Structure formats: structure tokens, C-alpha cells
Amino acid sequence: MNPTPTYADVQAAAERLQGHAHRTPVATSRRLNEELGLELFIKCENLQRMGAFKFRGGFNALSRLDAAQRRAGVVAFSSGNHAQAVALSASLLGIPATIVMPQDAPAAKVAATRGYGGKVVFYDRYTEDREAISQRLCEEQGLTLIPPYDHPDVIAGQGTAAKELIEETGPLDALYVSLGGGGLLSGSLLSAGALAPDCAVYGVEPQAGDDGLRSLRSGSIVRIETPKTIADGAQTQYLGNYTFDIIRRQVKDIVTVSDAQLVDEMRYLAQFLKLVAEPTGCLGLAAVRQAREQWAGKRVGVIISGGNVDMDRFCQLLSR
């Protein structure tokens, strides 16, 4: 294994991403601040290239491949956003990309992955092992695996979102981050630890997918069945070795929210902030609303991790 990444790796990733990743805006809302009784800063990674923070880690990882690896190509497994991130990054860098995606991945994410030039290989997320499929492709075709979260370069790239947020807002009292496999949370912990050491950083999972919470409580990685939740980006079964190592040492806590809360926040963001967010992207905001009394009068950050949601699905969820 390579060494666990540090904030120096986040800084190096930020340099590689200059001119490639968007420096996404930080949104504020007087209405929302008054409702919550705190000062909220929203990092809009739904406005990132390909619609999610995943572009940061994908591009950073691919940009570090050597010439032979670039010629052979890469493979990634993903429910959608990492798929698009690797496909787009590979296209920009002239690298062939194969993406292993679940059969029930959102149609918009599949279409976008193909649109960026990625070759899609489908699997059944409830009966097949995406990692085993990806490993077989690596062995058969000489591809390099770019995992969605458990990779030092991916983690470092994801950490640049929190780095930008804190650089723009100044130190925060708390930061809430979506948690699936842990790439965004562990990268955010590296940045917050260096730039705002007094900031309490929380990971947020859907209630049905609380493997991170269980892992933190038990002190070791807990594996669960694929969770049934509308937060498809957080339907991971377990944390990675790199991500858990950082999370267990630095996270303040991990909390959960319901699917119903995610729908409420999707509606709120669309109606009042004119922002389209996918369910997973709303995990942090739902948790802040849940903990608003704890942070009364404080400065709190949240990362909207992505906005890639089928419009038919978006309308269906909001009409409930």
C-alpha cells in the first residue's frame, strides 16, 4: 500500500487541478440562516465539472499515471459520479476508460459516462461483486484500477473542495460532509485539520447505509448489505482502508438522516436557492438542519456533493 495521504498531497492535487476543475461557488442564504439560527456556507459541488466533486479525485489520480499506464487505459467501478469523473478525466487526458456500473444506475449518469467516452460494463449490485469484475478486467486487459474512494490520489483530490471552502470562508465551527466510501470525508478531514483545526467535521450517511457509523463505533471496518436508499451515491457496503484510517483518527462523529429528510432538502434547495442536488448531495444539509440547535449562532459549512439526478426521478421524488 502507498502511504496514507496528507494535507501536502491535497495541496499538490490543487495545483494539478488548476485550469481543469471549477472553483465552485460558496452559496449563502439569509432565509436559510434565519431558519437554522446559524451562519451556513454551502460549497456547491453540484456545479463542478460533470456535476459532482468526484471530478477532483478522478482527474488527480489519472494525471499521475505514467505513459505506459495511460496507453493501456483505466477501469473504474461506480454507481455514477465516479464513473463520469473518470470517463471525463480520461477523455481530457487521452486515456481509454472502462467503467463498471450497476444495472440500476441513474440513466442520466450512464448516458453522461458514455457521452464522455467511457465504455460501460454493467453488473447487478445486489448479486455481483464490482471489485472482482474490475480486477478481472485489469488482469485480462492490463488496465489500471482507479477505485472510487480508497486511493491516496483520489482522496487528495477530493480534499480540495473543503480546502477551497475554508480558504474562502475562513475557519468554521463545524463542517458536514456526505459519506459513502469516505473519499470526500477523509479528504475534507485533511484540509480542515490543516486550515481549521478547531472545526468539528461530521460524516453524514443515509439511515439505511450506516456502515461508517458502525465502523467508527466498533473501531474496525464493518461491512453491510447494499443499502436500499434514494442516496445512490452512498450505497456503499463498507469504508476503504485509507479512508477509514483517516476518518477514525480525525472525524468528530458520523450521523445519519432519513430518505424523507433528503427529499425535503432537495425541494428546499430547488425552491429557495435555485440549486438542483441529487439525494446524496443533500446528506450534509439534512444533518445541519437536524443539529441546528447545537450550532446556534455558529459558522457551519456543508458540501453539496453532486447534482446528477434524472429530472423525471427528481420530479417524482419532490411530488411525494
Side-chain angles (χ1 to χ4, degrees):
M1 287 180 63
N2 294 319
T4 298
T6 66
Y7 180 63
D9 296 305
V10 178
Q11 291 176 303
E15 293 179 6
R16 294 186 197 101
L17 287 166
Q18 281 189 356
H20 300 286
H22 297 322
R23 188 178 181 95
T24 53
V26 176
T28 59
S29 166
R30 183 176 64 180
R31 178 192 179 102
L32 187 53
N33 286 349
E34 291 174 352
E35 285 184 16
L36 299 179
L38 49 82
E39 191 172 6
L40 187 67
F41 301 93
I42 303 172
K43 181 65 168 170
C44 298
E45 284 297 288
N46 55 318
L47 302 179
Q48 184 54 260
R49 293 188 75 164
M50 49 70 47
F53 75 95
K54 291 281 191 177
F55 177 76
R56 298 172 181 273
F59 188 90
N60 186 54
L62 266 64
S63 69
R64 301 207 66 201
L65 298 180
D66 61 32
Q69 290 173 313
R70 293 187 182 208
R71 284 194 301 271
V74 298
V75 62
F77 51 84
S78 166
S79 65
N81 283 338
H82 181 63
Q84 294 174 75
V86 171
L88 175 57
S89 298
S91 176
L92 294 171
L93 295 168
I95 301 172
T98 298
I99 314 296
V100 179
M101 299 185 73
Q103 294 170 343
D104 60 349
K109 294 183 179 182
V110 175
T113 300
R114 285 174 166 158
Y116 292 134
K119 175 185 175 183
V120 176
V121 174
F122 287 113
Y123 77 101
D124 185 329
R125 76 164 87 219
Y126 297 104
T127 63
E128 296 182 284
D129 186 339
R130 64 183 188 174
E131 294 187 38
I133 295 170
S134 300
Q135 192 58 49
R136 186 180 72 245
L137 291 170
C138 286
E139 294 168 358
E140 293 174 351
Q141 301 179 30
L143 307 179
T144 297
L145 176 64
I146 307 295
Y149 50 85
D150 203 31
H151 188 292
D153 295 329
V154 171
I155 292 169
Q158 316 307 28
T160 61
K163 176 179 182 292
E164 291 175 5
L165 171 62
I166 296 169
E167 285 174 344
E168 184 164 336
T169 65
L172 299 166
D173 295 300
L175 175 62
Y176 284 79
V177 182
S178 304
L179 174 58
L184 182 60
L185 177 58
S186 55
S188 297
L189 285 163
L190 296 178
S191 293
L195 301 176
D198 294 328
C199 176
V201 181
Y202 293 80
V204 189
E205 297 179 302
Q207 288 176 349
D210 65 345
D211 59 291
L213 175 59
R214 296 191 202 183
S215 299
L216 186 63
R217 296 290 186 268
S218 69
S220 60
I221 296 174
V222 172
R223 295 179 176 234
I224 63 173
E225 294 297 317
T226 300
K228 290 183 169 61
T229 170
I230 62 172
D232 64 282
Q235 283 185 297
T236 47
Q237 296 175 290
Y238 51 90
L239 299 176
N241 292 314
Y242 288 107
T243 59
F244 181 61
D245 182 47
I246 297 170
I247 291 168
R248 68 180 175 83
R249 288 186 284 109
Q250 295 183 233
V251 78
K252 180 67 174 180
D253 203 358
I254 295 172
V255 299
T256 65
V257 298
S258 69
D259 279 5
Q261 287 173 279
L262 298 181
V263 172
D264 288 343
E265 299 307 340
M266 289 173 67
R267 180 181 293 108
Y268 191 97
L269 287 170
Q271 182 173 356
F272 297 113
L273 278 77
K274 315 310 175 189
L275 294 172
V276 173
E278 61 190 271
T280 308
C282 295
L283 284 165
L285 181 56
V288 171
R289 194 181 297 276
Q290 186 171 265
R292 59 187 179 276
E293 293 182 2
Q294 176 183 354
W295 301 109
K298 301 294 186 179
R299 293 162 47 84
V300 180
V302 64
I303 299 176
I304 298 180
S305 57
N308 291 321
V309 56
D310 289 310
M311 281 297 100
D312 288 346
R313 176 64 167 158
F314 185 79
C315 295
Q316 180 186 52
L317 288 171
L318 297 196
S319 67
R320 289 181 177 179

